[in-house]
Each structure stands twice: as C-alpha cells, then as structure tokens.
Amino acid sequence: MVKARLRGLARLTFGNPLSLAYLGLVAAAALVLAYDQLFVTHEDASFAGVGLIFTAAPTVFGFIAAEEAIWGLEGSGWYFSLGIAASVLFQSFVLGLLLRLLNGRARPAHPQGA
C-alpha cells in the first residue's frame, strides 16, 4: 500500500510531460548558474541565480521569508538550497496533479443506460 502510494506520488512528480518539461527548465537554469559560478570571473555579483529562483517561484518565496525569520538577514546556504529543491518538487507534483485532473476531465462521459 505504501509502495503504491509512493509510486503514485513519484509518477505525478516525475512521470508526466508537463512535470518533465518544468524540471528540464529548472535543470537548465541550474546549469547556467553552475557554469557562471565555476567558469566566469566577475568584478561584482552575478544575477545568474535569479533564473533559478524565478523557476522555483512562487513557493520559494515562502522559504525565503521563513529563512529570514529564523536566521535573520545573513541566512543559511543549505536552507536556501533545500527551499529551492522543495519548491521545485512541490510545483512539479502540482503540475502533474493538474495534468491528471485536466486529462480526467477531457475524457468523454460514459453514456447512462445505453
């Protein structure tokens, strides 16, 4: 029972085209950030991380607000990374659920008594 439930959650989060497209967009933004951090020298701060934050929006802003409330302005890098990961996974799940609901609604109705 638990395995079936976990399999269903994983299918909604990772096993549909809409969620996979979203996760691909997030991976592309993460690769741009990684490239910028590893191979590009800057005199000042870079805005490469903004793309990753915007792909995790709007739920990531709740994690950012909680981080500021818990640790103040300096924050914690691991909490921020965890917040982005949790936001992305949650939104991927919601997209999968939305796609399932739309597919279920688009199916033709079964005729009654025919």
PDB file of all heavy atoms in Angstrom, residues 13-39:
ATOM      1  N   THR A  13       4.993  13.461  -9.864  1.00  0.00           N
ATOM      2  CA  THR A  13       6.070  14.438  -9.789  1.00  0.00           C
ATOM      3  C   THR A  13       7.031  14.338 -10.958  1.00  0.00           C
ATOM      4  O   THR A  13       7.508  15.354 -11.461  1.00  0.00           O
ATOM      5  CB  THR A  13       6.834  14.261  -8.460  1.00  0.00           C
ATOM      6  OG1 THR A  13       5.903  14.326  -7.371  1.00  0.00           O
ATOM      7  CG2 THR A  13       7.871  15.343  -8.281  1.00  0.00           C
ATOM      8  N   PHE A  14       7.342  13.127 -11.409  1.00  0.00           N
ATOM      9  CA  PHE A  14       8.375  12.938 -12.427  1.00  0.00           C
ATOM     10  C   PHE A  14       7.888  12.269 -13.705  1.00  0.00           C
ATOM     11  O   PHE A  14       8.611  12.273 -14.696  1.00  0.00           O
ATOM     12  CB  PHE A  14       9.519  12.073 -11.863  1.00  0.00           C
ATOM     13  CG  PHE A  14      10.132  12.619 -10.625  1.00  0.00           C
ATOM     14  CD1 PHE A  14       9.887  12.010  -9.403  1.00  0.00           C
ATOM     15  CD2 PHE A  14      10.951  13.729 -10.665  1.00  0.00           C
ATOM     16  CE1 PHE A  14      10.466  12.498  -8.241  1.00  0.00           C
ATOM     17  CE2 PHE A  14      11.523  14.223  -9.517  1.00  0.00           C
ATOM     18  CZ  PHE A  14      11.281  13.617  -8.304  1.00  0.00           C
ATOM     19  N   GLY A  15       6.722  11.663 -13.723  1.00  0.00           N
ATOM     20  CA  GLY A  15       6.345  10.784 -14.813  1.00  0.00           C
ATOM     21  C   GLY A  15       5.317  11.318 -15.778  1.00  0.00           C
ATOM     22  O   GLY A  15       4.538  10.557 -16.327  1.00  0.00           O
ATOM     23  N   ASN A  16       5.274  12.608 -16.006  1.00  0.00           N
ATOM     24  CA  ASN A  16       4.347  13.146 -16.993  1.00  0.00           C
ATOM     25  C   ASN A  16       5.050  14.254 -17.774  1.00  0.00           C
ATOM     26  O   ASN A  16       6.026  14.835 -17.306  1.00  0.00           O
ATOM     27  CB  ASN A  16       3.062  13.651 -16.317  1.00  0.00           C
ATOM     28  CG  ASN A  16       3.336  14.768 -15.349  1.00  0.00           C
ATOM     29  OD1 ASN A  16       3.576  15.885 -15.758  1.00  0.00           O
ATOM     30  ND2 ASN A  16       3.298  14.461 -14.059  1.00  0.00           N
ATOM     31  N   PRO A  17       4.578  14.554 -18.973  1.00  0.00           N
ATOM     32  CA  PRO A  17       5.294  15.504 -19.831  1.00  0.00           C
ATOM     33  C   PRO A  17       5.387  16.913 -19.257  1.00  0.00           C
ATOM     34  O   PRO A  17       6.411  17.584 -19.410  1.00  0.00           O
ATOM     35  CB  PRO A  17       4.484  15.508 -21.122  1.00  0.00           C
ATOM     36  CG  PRO A  17       3.607  14.328 -21.082  1.00  0.00           C
ATOM     37  CD  PRO A  17       3.462  13.927 -19.652  1.00  0.00           C
ATOM     38  N   LEU A  18       4.346  17.377 -18.594  1.00  0.00           N
ATOM     39  CA  LEU A  18       4.362  18.737 -18.064  1.00  0.00           C
ATOM     40  C   LEU A  18       5.387  18.888 -16.941  1.00  0.00           C
ATOM     41  O   LEU A  18       6.163  19.845 -16.921  1.00  0.00           O
ATOM     42  CB  LEU A  18       2.957  19.109 -17.570  1.00  0.00           C
ATOM     43  CG  LEU A  18       2.726  20.562 -17.205  1.00  0.00           C
ATOM     44  CD1 LEU A  18       3.018  21.475 -18.383  1.00  0.00           C
ATOM     45  CD2 LEU A  18       1.294  20.746 -16.734  1.00  0.00           C
ATOM     46  N   SER A  19       5.411  17.939 -16.026  1.00  0.00           N
ATOM     47  CA  SER A  19       6.394  17.980 -14.939  1.00  0.00           C
ATOM     48  C   SER A  19       7.815  17.825 -15.463  1.00  0.00           C
ATOM     49  O   SER A  19       8.732  18.494 -14.998  1.00  0.00           O
ATOM     50  CB  SER A  19       6.111  16.877 -13.915  1.00  0.00           C
ATOM     51  OG  SER A  19       4.909  17.134 -13.243  1.00  0.00           O
ATOM     52  N   LEU A  20       7.998  16.946 -16.453  1.00  0.00           N
ATOM     53  CA  LEU A  20       9.330  16.767 -17.025  1.00  0.00           C
ATOM     54  C   LEU A  20       9.811  18.026 -17.744  1.00  0.00           C
ATOM     55  O   LEU A  20      10.991  18.378 -17.665  1.00  0.00           O
ATOM     56  CB  LEU A  20       9.338  15.576 -17.973  1.00  0.00           C
ATOM     57  CG  LEU A  20       9.265  14.210 -17.299  1.00  0.00           C
ATOM     58  CD1 LEU A  20       9.178  13.113 -18.351  1.00  0.00           C
ATOM     59  CD2 LEU A  20      10.455  13.988 -16.387  1.00  0.00           C
ATOM     60  N   ALA A  21       8.921  18.720 -18.425  1.00  0.00           N
ATOM     61  CA  ALA A  21       9.301  19.979 -19.077  1.00  0.00           C
ATOM     62  C   ALA A  21       9.700  21.019 -18.032  1.00  0.00           C
ATOM     63  O   ALA A  21      10.701  21.733 -18.192  1.00  0.00           O
ATOM     64  CB  ALA A  21       8.152  20.498 -19.935  1.00  0.00           C
ATOM     65  N   TYR A  22       8.937  21.102 -16.947  1.00  0.00           N
ATOM     66  CA  TYR A  22       9.259  22.042 -15.870  1.00  0.00           C
ATOM     67  C   TYR A  22      10.600  21.691 -15.225  1.00  0.00           C
ATOM     68  O   TYR A  22      11.440  22.567 -15.010  1.00  0.00           O
ATOM     69  CB  TYR A  22       8.138  22.046 -14.828  1.00  0.00           C
ATOM     70  CG  TYR A  22       8.485  22.828 -13.593  1.00  0.00           C
ATOM     71  CD1 TYR A  22       8.618  24.207 -13.634  1.00  0.00           C
ATOM     72  CD2 TYR A  22       8.695  22.194 -12.370  1.00  0.00           C
ATOM     73  CE1 TYR A  22       8.944  24.930 -12.507  1.00  0.00           C
ATOM     74  CE2 TYR A  22       9.018  22.904 -11.242  1.00  0.00           C
ATOM     75  CZ  TYR A  22       9.140  24.274 -11.313  1.00  0.00           C
ATOM     76  OH  TYR A  22       9.479  24.987 -10.196  1.00  0.00           O
ATOM     77  N   LEU A  23      10.814  20.416 -14.940  1.00  0.00           N
ATOM     78  CA  LEU A  23      12.081  20.001 -14.332  1.00  0.00           C
ATOM     79  C   LEU A  23      13.255  20.231 -15.287  1.00  0.00           C
ATOM     80  O   LEU A  23      14.364  20.557 -14.845  1.00  0.00           O
ATOM     81  CB  LEU A  23      12.003  18.545 -13.886  1.00  0.00           C
ATOM     82  CG  LEU A  23      11.057  18.270 -12.721  1.00  0.00           C
ATOM     83  CD1 LEU A  23      10.922  16.775 -12.493  1.00  0.00           C
ATOM     84  CD2 LEU A  23      11.517  18.972 -11.464  1.00  0.00           C
ATOM     85  N   GLY A  24      13.029  20.094 -16.585  1.00  0.00           N
ATOM     86  CA  GLY A  24      14.066  20.406 -17.567  1.00  0.00           C
ATOM     87  C   GLY A  24      14.412  21.887 -17.565  1.00  0.00           C
ATOM     88  O   GLY A  24      15.593  22.258 -17.663  1.00  0.00           O
ATOM     89  N   LEU A  25      13.409  22.739 -17.424  1.00  0.00           N
ATOM     90  CA  LEU A  25      13.644  24.180 -17.327  1.00  0.00           C
ATOM     91  C   LEU A  25      14.445  24.519 -16.074  1.00  0.00           C
ATOM     92  O   LEU A  25      15.366  25.336 -16.111  1.00  0.00           O
ATOM     93  CB  LEU A  25      12.299  24.916 -17.326  1.00  0.00           C
ATOM     94  CG  LEU A  25      12.334  26.428 -17.296  1.00  0.00           C
ATOM     95  CD1 LEU A  25      12.942  26.974 -18.579  1.00  0.00           C
ATOM     96  CD2 LEU A  25      10.927  26.969 -17.103  1.00  0.00           C
ATOM     97  N   VAL A  26      14.112  23.880 -14.975  1.00  0.00           N
ATOM     98  CA  VAL A  26      14.849  24.095 -13.724  1.00  0.00           C
ATOM     99  C   VAL A  26      16.288  23.613 -13.871  1.00  0.00           C
ATOM    100  O   VAL A  26      17.226  24.294 -13.435  1.00  0.00           O
ATOM    101  CB  VAL A  26      14.144  23.382 -12.545  1.00  0.00           C
ATOM    102  CG1 VAL A  26      15.007  23.394 -11.300  1.00  0.00           C
ATOM    103  CG2 VAL A  26      12.809  24.029 -12.266  1.00  0.00           C
ATOM    104  N   ALA A  27      16.483  22.464 -14.498  1.00  0.00           N
ATOM    105  CA  ALA A  27      17.839  21.942 -14.699  1.00  0.00           C
ATOM    106  C   ALA A  27      18.652  22.880 -15.585  1.00  0.00           C
ATOM    107  O   ALA A  27      19.847  23.103 -15.327  1.00  0.00           O
ATOM    108  CB  ALA A  27      17.775  20.545 -15.318  1.00  0.00           C
ATOM    109  N   ALA A  28      18.037  23.444 -16.616  1.00  0.00           N
ATOM    110  CA  ALA A  28      18.743  24.394 -17.476  1.00  0.00           C
ATOM    111  C   ALA A  28      19.160  25.636 -16.685  1.00  0.00           C
ATOM    112  O   ALA A  28      20.296  26.123 -16.833  1.00  0.00           O
ATOM    113  CB  ALA A  28      17.867  24.780 -18.658  1.00  0.00           C
ATOM    114  N   ALA A  29      18.277  26.147 -15.842  1.00  0.00           N
ATOM    115  CA  ALA A  29      18.622  27.310 -15.019  1.00  0.00           C
ATOM    116  C   ALA A  29      19.732  26.969 -14.027  1.00  0.00           C
ATOM    117  O   ALA A  29      20.626  27.791 -13.776  1.00  0.00           O
ATOM    118  CB  ALA A  29      17.376  27.812 -14.277  1.00  0.00           C
ATOM    119  N   ALA A  30      19.713  25.760 -13.480  1.00  0.00           N
ATOM    120  CA  ALA A  30      20.765  25.335 -12.550  1.00  0.00           C
ATOM    121  C   ALA A  30      22.100  25.181 -13.278  1.00  0.00           C
ATOM    122  O   ALA A  30      23.159  25.517 -12.717  1.00  0.00           O
ATOM    123  CB  ALA A  30      20.376  24.026 -11.871  1.00  0.00           C
ATOM    124  N   LEU A  31      22.073  24.687 -14.512  1.00  0.00           N
ATOM    125  CA  LEU A  31      23.311  24.571 -15.281  1.00  0.00           C
ATOM    126  C   LEU A  31      23.896  25.935 -15.625  1.00  0.00           C
ATOM    127  O   LEU A  31      25.116  26.117 -15.589  1.00  0.00           O
ATOM    128  CB  LEU A  31      23.067  23.759 -16.551  1.00  0.00           C
ATOM    129  CG  LEU A  31      22.897  22.265 -16.349  1.00  0.00           C
ATOM    130  CD1 LEU A  31      22.516  21.599 -17.660  1.00  0.00           C
ATOM    131  CD2 LEU A  31      24.162  21.646 -15.785  1.00  0.00           C
ATOM    132  N   VAL A  32      23.058  26.895 -15.950  1.00  0.00           N
ATOM    133  CA  VAL A  32      23.540  28.254 -16.213  1.00  0.00           C
ATOM    134  C   VAL A  32      24.187  28.825 -14.959  1.00  0.00           C
ATOM    135  O   VAL A  32      25.256  29.431 -15.022  1.00  0.00           O
ATOM    136  CB  VAL A  32      22.383  29.157 -16.704  1.00  0.00           C
ATOM    137  CG1 VAL A  32      22.786  30.628 -16.695  1.00  0.00           C
ATOM    138  CG2 VAL A  32      21.936  28.738 -18.090  1.00  0.00           C
ATOM    139  N   LEU A  33      23.566  28.621 -13.822  1.00  0.00           N
ATOM    140  CA  LEU A  33      24.134  29.094 -12.554  1.00  0.00           C
ATOM    141  C   LEU A  33      25.457  28.409 -12.255  1.00  0.00           C
ATOM    142  O   LEU A  33      26.426  29.064 -11.863  1.00  0.00           O
ATOM    143  CB  LEU A  33      23.144  28.858 -11.411  1.00  0.00           C
ATOM    144  CG  LEU A  33      23.641  29.205 -10.009  1.00  0.00           C
ATOM    145  CD1 LEU A  33      23.980  30.680  -9.905  1.00  0.00           C
ATOM    146  CD2 LEU A  33      22.610  28.813  -8.976  1.00  0.00           C
ATOM    147  N   ALA A  34      25.521  27.093 -12.440  1.00  0.00           N
ATOM    148  CA  ALA A  34      26.760  26.360 -12.168  1.00  0.00           C
ATOM    149  C   ALA A  34      27.881  26.821 -13.096  1.00  0.00           C
ATOM    150  O   ALA A  34      29.022  27.023 -12.658  1.00  0.00           O
ATOM    151  CB  ALA A  34      26.527  24.862 -12.320  1.00  0.00           C
ATOM    152  N   TYR A  35      27.579  27.001 -14.375  1.00  0.00           N
ATOM    153  CA  TYR A  35      28.589  27.480 -15.323  1.00  0.00           C
ATOM    154  C   TYR A  35      29.098  28.861 -14.913  1.00  0.00           C
ATOM    155  O   TYR A  35      30.302  29.121 -14.928  1.00  0.00           O
ATOM    156  CB  TYR A  35      28.008  27.523 -16.741  1.00  0.00           C
ATOM    157  CG  TYR A  35      28.976  28.072 -17.748  1.00  0.00           C
ATOM    158  CD1 TYR A  35      29.958  27.265 -18.289  1.00  0.00           C
ATOM    159  CD2 TYR A  35      28.918  29.406 -18.144  1.00  0.00           C
ATOM    160  CE1 TYR A  35      30.865  27.763 -19.207  1.00  0.00           C
ATOM    161  CE2 TYR A  35      29.816  29.919 -19.051  1.00  0.00           C
ATOM    162  CZ  TYR A  35      30.790  29.091 -19.590  1.00  0.00           C
ATOM    163  OH  TYR A  35      31.688  29.596 -20.480  1.00  0.00           O
ATOM    164  N   ASP A  36      28.162  29.728 -14.544  1.00  0.00           N
ATOM    165  CA  ASP A  36      28.539  31.082 -14.144  1.00  0.00           C
ATOM    166  C   ASP A  36      29.417  31.071 -12.903  1.00  0.00           C
ATOM    167  O   ASP A  36      30.391  31.819 -12.826  1.00  0.00           O
ATOM    168  CB  ASP A  36      27.284  31.911 -13.898  1.00  0.00           C
ATOM    169  CG  ASP A  36      27.608  33.352 -13.580  1.00  0.00           C
ATOM    170  OD1 ASP A  36      28.060  34.073 -14.503  1.00  0.00           O
ATOM    171  OD2 ASP A  36      27.429  33.749 -12.408  1.00  0.00           O
ATOM    172  N   GLN A  37      29.098  30.239 -11.948  1.00  0.00           N
ATOM    173  CA  GLN A  37      29.871  30.198 -10.706  1.00  0.00           C
ATOM    174  C   GLN A  37      31.249  29.574 -10.894  1.00  0.00           C
ATOM    175  O   GLN A  37      32.209  29.978 -10.241  1.00  0.00           O
ATOM    176  CB  GLN A  37      29.101  29.419  -9.630  1.00  0.00           C
ATOM    177  CG  GLN A  37      27.844  30.100  -9.164  1.00  0.00           C
ATOM    178  CD  GLN A  37      28.140  31.402  -8.434  1.00  0.00           C
ATOM    179  OE1 GLN A  37      28.990  31.453  -7.567  1.00  0.00           O
ATOM    180  NE2 GLN A  37      27.437  32.448  -8.817  1.00  0.00           N
ATOM    181  N   LEU A  38      31.347  28.592 -11.786  1.00  0.00           N
ATOM    182  CA  LEU A  38      32.602  27.868 -11.938  1.00  0.00           C
ATOM    183  C   LEU A  38      33.551  28.476 -12.966  1.00  0.00           C
ATOM    184  O   LEU A  38      34.773  28.425 -12.784  1.00  0.00           O
ATOM    185  CB  LEU A  38      32.321  26.412 -12.316  1.00  0.00           C
ATOM    186  CG  LEU A  38      31.596  25.580 -11.262  1.00  0.00           C
ATOM    187  CD1 LEU A  38      31.231  24.224 -11.832  1.00  0.00           C
ATOM    188  CD2 LEU A  38      32.450  25.434 -10.015  1.00  0.00           C
ATOM    189  N   PHE A  39      33.038  29.032 -14.045  1.00  0.00           N
ATOM    190  CA  PHE A  39      33.899  29.398 -15.158  1.00  0.00           C
ATOM    191  C   PHE A  39      33.936  30.879 -15.511  1.00  0.00           C
ATOM    192  O   PHE A  39      34.729  31.272 -16.365  1.00  0.00           O
ATOM    193  CB  PHE A  39      33.479  28.609 -16.408  1.00  0.00           C
ATOM    194  CG  PHE A  39      33.575  27.132 -16.224  1.00  0.00           C
ATOM    195  CD1 PHE A  39      32.432  26.346 -16.220  1.00  0.00           C
ATOM    196  CD2 PHE A  39      34.792  26.509 -16.031  1.00  0.00           C
ATOM    197  CE1 PHE A  39      32.502  24.980 -16.043  1.00  0.00           C
ATOM    198  CE2 PHE A  39      34.879  25.143 -15.844  1.00  0.00           C
ATOM    199  CZ  PHE A  39      33.738  24.379 -15.857  1.00  0.00           C
TER     200      PHE A  39
END
